[in-house]
Each structure stands twice: as C-alpha cells, then as structure tokens.
Amino acid sequence: MTVRCEVDGDGTTITVAVTGQLRLADAPRLRDRLLKCLAEQPEALLVDLSGLHVDQPLALAVLISVQRQATRWPGTPVLFCGPPPPTWTHLRTSAFSQLPLFVNLAAAREHLRDERRTLPSVCEDLLPVSGSSRHARDVVTDTCLRWDLPDLVAPASLIVTELVANVIDHAHTMMTLRLSLRTRHLNIAVQDGSGRQPQTGPAAEPDGVSGRGLLLVDSVADSWGWLPCEDGKVVWASLRR
C-alpha cells in the first residue's frame, strides 16, 4: 500500500494523517482504515490530507464513500483538512462539493468548537449470556423514556434483542451496547470481538436460523449495517426520530 495512515485520538476526536501517493488500488484499504475509525464512534473524525498526493484523481471518490457511511451511521462529522494545492483543486470540483473541506487542522478544530453540540449516548458492556438480551432491552427502554422517545421503545427493543442474541449465539465474545441520539435518528450499535461478517437469510447457516434476526432488524430499522473495527466488528441500526 503506497498510502499510510497514522491515527491519533484524544478520547473524543480521532485524527488520521493520510500520507503517500494515492492510487485506485489503495482506495479500498484506505476506506477500510477510515471506516474502522468511524466504528469507534468518535465525536468527530479529522482526516489530515496535507501529506497526500494523488496519482489517480478517481481514487479520491473513496472520501465520498466514507462521508456517506458517516452520514448513515454513526452520524459522526468527518472533516477533510489541508490537501496540497493539486489535491485541493480536485476536491473543489462539483463531484466533491458535499465534502467538508478545511485549509488545515486548526481551521477544522475551530469549526468543531463553533458547531459541536454534545449529543447524549449510553454505553453498556454485556456478557455473552442469555440474560444479556433482557438487560439490553431494559437499557433501551429506560434510555428511550429518558430521551422522550416512547414511540421507539418497541422497535428499539426488538432490534437490540436481535443484535445481542447474534453475539450470544455466534460471536461468543464480550460485547458493548451503545445508544446514541442524533439530530434525526436514534442509533443502536453492538460491538463484539468477532471479525466474522454477519449473514442474513437462509444462506447464513445450513439450517437457515442465524440470519432471521437480522432480517427482522432490516424490516424494522430505517437503515442498518456493519463495520469492521480494531478488535472485531460493530453491527448498527438507526431508527428515525
């Protein structure tokens, strides 16, 4: 890979310095690296492009892909900072008009100080045991009522039951449940220690059992998906407020 990523975090914001020569062949791995940072659900993701040079401008479409994923989930602001003049010229075309672009990291951080609103979230670590599904439902119910979202108690409880049950039945690892309130959505995410891609439908297992829960999630959630993270994966779902 000709592109390198150096990740630095302060507990709330993650900064990724992307350096090297960007080619089309590098785009999938760069996307995966940035998505792993998003899976940590930071308050903001700053992408420092000051050391990035572009051999093949079409590869910059990877930035649009990451921005779209961040919009769907986890609702994290992604700010692109300090590209060199040739890269800046490419990113100022209409194809990239939706990307939040800043002249440097300092300008991006200043923007965050001006625009950031503290949005509530709840985290709970759970064991891979049957009682965790019930406890997760209790957490969801209490949180939805506290955030004045009574209409979301039932669908959120169904979603969290299936996401937790999937970890219990298939990943067999510790998990972290996170509920986040965004401007337009309630986000539900469960992180586990297995990197195995979740499967849906009869193809998931020979007996067709393991994918049924995610089909229920698909029928209830406004959107859902999964992302790899450093120590496993995150399966997420969003409900419109």
Side-chain angles (χ1 to χ4, degrees):
M1 183 176 181
T2 55
V3 169
R4 297 172 297 280
C5 297
E6 183 176 340
V7 179
D8 182 42
D10 61 6
T12 57
T13 299
I14 292 178
T15 301
V16 183
V18 185
T19 59
Q21 300 287 332
L22 180 63
R23 302 184 178 96
L24 284 169
D26 299 315
R29 284 171 289 182
L30 176 58
R31 178 181 180 273
D32 288 348
R33 192 70 188 90
L34 295 177
L35 291 185
K36 284 185 177 181
C37 292
L38 280 179
E40 301 299 322
Q41 302 177 67
E43 290 186 9
L45 176 62
L46 305 182
V47 184
D48 181 3
L49 303 176
S50 60
L52 183 69
H53 302 279
V54 182
D55 282 357
Q56 297 172 307
L58 283 176
L60 287 169
V62 67
L63 305 183
I64 297 176
S65 175
V66 172
Q67 177 70 16
R68 286 175 177 167
Q69 174 61 62
T71 301
R72 293 180 66 214
W73 183 89
T76 296
V78 182
L79 311 182
F80 300 96
C81 315
T87 305
W88 181 280
T89 300
H90 291 307
L91 293 177
R92 297 306 294 175
T93 62
S94 60
F96 300 96
S97 61
Q98 299 302 311
L99 290 182
L101 193 61
F102 296 84
V103 293
N104 51 40
L105 282 172
R109 292 191 176 108
E110 184 64 28
H111 173 82
L112 287 176
R113 280 193 289 270
D114 292 341
E115 299 294 328
R116 180 182 290 168
R117 292 184 298 165
T118 301
L119 297 173
S121 63
V122 170
C123 282
E124 191 86 9
D125 292 329
L126 302 172
L127 293 166
V129 296
S130 58
S132 290
S133 293
R134 182 177 64 252
H135 180 67
R137 287 194 298 272
D138 291 342
V139 172
V140 163
T141 299
D142 176 69
T143 301
C144 285
L145 294 178
R146 212 159 11 101
W147 290 346
D148 196 25
L149 301 170
D151 292 345
L152 296 187
V153 169
S157 295
L158 186 151
I159 287 170
V160 80
T161 297
E162 301 304 334
L163 297 186
V164 170
N166 252 14
V167 178
I168 295 169
D169 294 341
H170 304 290
H172 313 297
T173 70
M174 286 288 295
M175 69 192 98
T176 300
L177 165 66
R178 183 176 181 126
L179 307 175
S180 304
L181 189 63
R182 300 305 188 206
T183 305
R184 296 178 181 174
H185 293 89
L186 170 67
N187 288 338
I188 304 164
V190 175
Q191 180 176 342
D192 64 55
S194 169
R196 182 184 178 191
Q197 179 177 346
Q199 302 292 319
T200 60
E205 293 287 347
D207 60 9
V209 172
S210 70
R212 290 178 184 170
L214 290 178
L215 289 176
L216 284 174
V217 171
D218 183 63
S219 69
V220 172
D222 185 58
S223 61
W224 78 278
W226 77 284
L227 290 177
C229 61
E230 292 300 329
D231 300 311
K233 67 177 178 296
V234 175
V235 185
W236 59 269
S238 295
L239 288 168
R240 192 176 298 278
R241 294 174 60 181

